[in-house]
């Protein structure tokens, strides 16, 4: 299906709501039936009938259809956060005694789920450097039920060869799941490469306006039904109809936003790479990136996120740079309209906490929708302070 059809029309039965161009927010917790027979029929499948909004809601359902089509998946569930979608994807595919192979540096709370939380229920894990396929295969045990990937990750951008990982997993009868938040479905479709499950922090590009926290899980119809009947309905981390309507609005411009952030981030990364106060830039689509060839082969673009190392001999000199910036907001997250800076130095000198193991001169930038030349001017002026 054409991308324009997905973003503008798919799932929108306008004839059912006065031909309104924007879908209504069906702000109802439950749905009534004309007859006992219809009521009974609805209980046969709460994923497709409208019974109760913890299961299925018409506004949320429009969003689900669009996201499934964007990821070229048979079906999709949306959650109240990215970590809720990730937890559902992982928990649905493990049981007491299972083992998970996971990339070394996934999103921090994904790591905590595997490292600190799931061992309480007898689920083991091995973290491996996913750049090396042989390490992934060597980590597989008879009890391995899931390979969890994140390509690229959102700080230092290590990639995995997704088609090759899927092939290894298939040979061993193991489910694969990838966090595709960095690329969004505009620049990478892991299901086409043989991956079973795709998860997103929909908080990032998919909603795209920094006003909704949301998670997405895409996969085959049987897998989505299984997750619906277990983790989704029992843990209840659902998206509200109002947030779903905001996300549908956000999706209208997904393609435009991705391309804008992508071209601006490459321009700004190139500017920084040539700057005497910058040591090294980490951007998957710069030729200097160690996995540049794989990135070119596997991804259609990179979006707005990249990192660099400041050339500074003391943290205070780096701090002067962060404070001189006028147009980059000091903040976590990414994927919205606004450009952001997240310095590793923010995880230093926190009262009562040990300093981060990350080097203090590592800086992550997210490039939003502003004029890249305007942002370059801001960076240039602030770098003079280092
Ligand atoms: C790569 C990645 N995955 C998952 C998440 C978690 O998503 P959420 O914050 O929507 O729960 C984040 C959040 O920053 C992320 O950056």
């Amino acid at each position: 299906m054409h991308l324009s059809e997905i973003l503008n029309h798919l799932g929108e039965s306008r004839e059912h709501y006065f031909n309104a161009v924007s879908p209504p927010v069906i702000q109802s917790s439950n749905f009534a039936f004309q007859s006992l027979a219809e009521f009974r029929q609805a209980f046969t499948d709460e994923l497709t009938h409208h019974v109760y909004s913890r299961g299925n809601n018409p506004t949320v359902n429009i969003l689900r259809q669009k996201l499934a089509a964007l990821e070229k998946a048979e079906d999709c569930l949306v959650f109240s956060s990215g970590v809720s979608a990730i937890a559902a994807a992982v928990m649905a595919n493990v049981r007491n005694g299972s083992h998970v192979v996971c990339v070394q540096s996934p999103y921090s709370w994904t790591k905590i789920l595997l490292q600190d939380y799931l061992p309480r229920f007898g689920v083991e894990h091995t973290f491996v450097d996913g750049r090396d396929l042989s390490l992934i295969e060597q980590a597989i045990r008879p009890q391995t039920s899931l390979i969890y990937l994140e390509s690229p990750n959102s700080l230092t951008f290590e990639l995995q060869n997704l088609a090759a990982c899927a092939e290894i997993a298939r040979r061993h009868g193991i489910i694969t799941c990838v966090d595709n938040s960095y690329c969004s479905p505009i620049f990478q479709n892991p299901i086409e490469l043989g991956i079973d499950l795709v998860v997103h922090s929909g908080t990032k590009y998919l909603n795209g306006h920094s006003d909704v926290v949301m998670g997405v899980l895409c996969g085959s119809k049987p897998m989505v039904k299984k997750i619906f009947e277990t983790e989704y309905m029992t843990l209840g981390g659902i998206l509200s109809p109002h947030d779903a309507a905001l996300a549908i609005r956000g999706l209208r411009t997904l393609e435009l936003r991705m391309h804008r952030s992508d071209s601006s981030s490459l321009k700004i990364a190139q500017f920084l790479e040539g700057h005497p106060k910058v040591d090294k830039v980490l951007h998957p689509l710069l030729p200097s990136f160690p996995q540049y060839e794989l990135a070119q082969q596997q991804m259609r673009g990179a979006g707005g996120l990249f990192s660099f190392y400041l050339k500074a001999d003391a943290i205070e000199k780096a701090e002067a740079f962060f404070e001189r910036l006028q147009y980059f907001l000091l903040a976590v997250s990414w994927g919205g309209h606004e450009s952001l800076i997240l310095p590793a130095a923010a995880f230093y000198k926190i009262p009562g906490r040990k300093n981060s193991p990350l080097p203090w001169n590592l800086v992550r930038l997210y490039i939003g929708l502003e004029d890249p030349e305007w942002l370059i001017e801001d960076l240039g002026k602030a770098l003079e302070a280092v």
Side-chain angles (χ1 to χ4, degrees), residues 63-76 218:
L63 177 63
R64 283 180 46 215
Q65 290 179 59
K66 289 184 188 295
L67 291 168
L70 283 172
E71 275 300 8
K72 306 188 190 302
E74 287 174 10
D75 210 345
C76 159
C218 298

Side-chain angles (χ1 to χ4, degrees), residues 28-84:
S28 186
S29 57
N30 50 350
F31 300 86
F33 294 87
Q34 301 287 339
S35 70
L36 193 58
E38 277 182 31
F39 202 1
R40 286 180 176 142
Q41 179 60 29
F43 282 127
T44 61
D45 185 2
E46 289 199 44
L47 179 57
T48 53
H49 291 86
H50 295 119
V51 178
Y52 189 53
S53 281
R54 174 154 47 76
N56 188 16
N57 170 281
T59 311
V60 176
N61 196 24
I62 295 172
L63 177 63
R64 283 180 46 215
Q65 290 179 59
K66 289 184 188 295
L67 291 168
L70 283 172
E71 275 300 8
K72 306 188 190 302
E74 287 174 10
D75 210 345
C76 159
L77 292 171
V78 289
F79 293 79
S80 53
S81 67
V83 293
S84 181

Side-chain angles (χ1 to χ4, degrees), residues 81-83 86 107 150 154 179 181 201-204 213-214 334:
S81 67
V83 293
I86 291 167
Y107 174 62
E150 191 176 314
S154 58
D179 183 332
S181 305
S201 170
T203 315
K204 308 299 189 285
V213 175
M214 160 176 114
W334 43 280

Side-chain angles (χ1 to χ4, degrees), residues 230-265:
T230 54
E231 287 70 26
Y232 189 84
M233 284 300 272
T234 52
L235 301 178
I238 62 160
L239 193 71
S240 74
H242 184 250
D243 282 349
L246 286 173
I248 292 167
R249 183 168 70 170
L251 284 184
R252 307 288 192 206
T253 54
L254 177 67
E255 185 188 12
L256 296 175
R257 289 185 285 104
M258 290 309 299
H259 287 291
R260 170 74 169 184
S261 280
D262 183 51
S263 70
S264 300
S265 85

Side-chain angles (χ1 to χ4, degrees), residues 17 48 103 125 184 198-199 214 253 262-263 271 298 302 308 336-337 339 382:
Y17 39 83
T48 53
V103 287
H125 60 272
S184 92
V198 173
V199 286
M214 160 176 114
T253 54
D262 183 51
S263 70
F271 161 75
Q298 191 164 273
F308 66 98
H337 53 89
S339 291

Side-chain angles (χ1 to χ4, degrees), residues 245-313:
L246 286 173
I248 292 167
R249 183 168 70 170
L251 284 184
R252 307 288 192 206
T253 54
L254 177 67
E255 185 188 12
L256 296 175
R257 289 185 285 104
M258 290 309 299
H259 287 291
R260 170 74 169 184
S261 280
D262 183 51
S263 70
S264 300
S265 85
L266 201 55
K267 210 176 263 179
I268 294 173
Q270 281 159 349
F271 161 75
L272 289 173
E273 195 163 49
H275 198 284
K277 304 261 175 77
V278 171
D279 230 359
K280 190 162 98 180
V281 179
L282 297 175
H283 185 301
L285 290 180
L286 277 182
S288 57
F289 188 72
Q291 292 179 289
Y292 172 66
E293 274 162 30
L294 177 59
Q296 273 202 317
Q297 170 198 320
Q298 191 164 273
M299 296 155 47
R300 296 183 290 273
L305 207 57
F306 70 95
S307 296
F308 66 98
Y309 293 93
L310 259 183
K311 209 181 264 176
D313 49 21

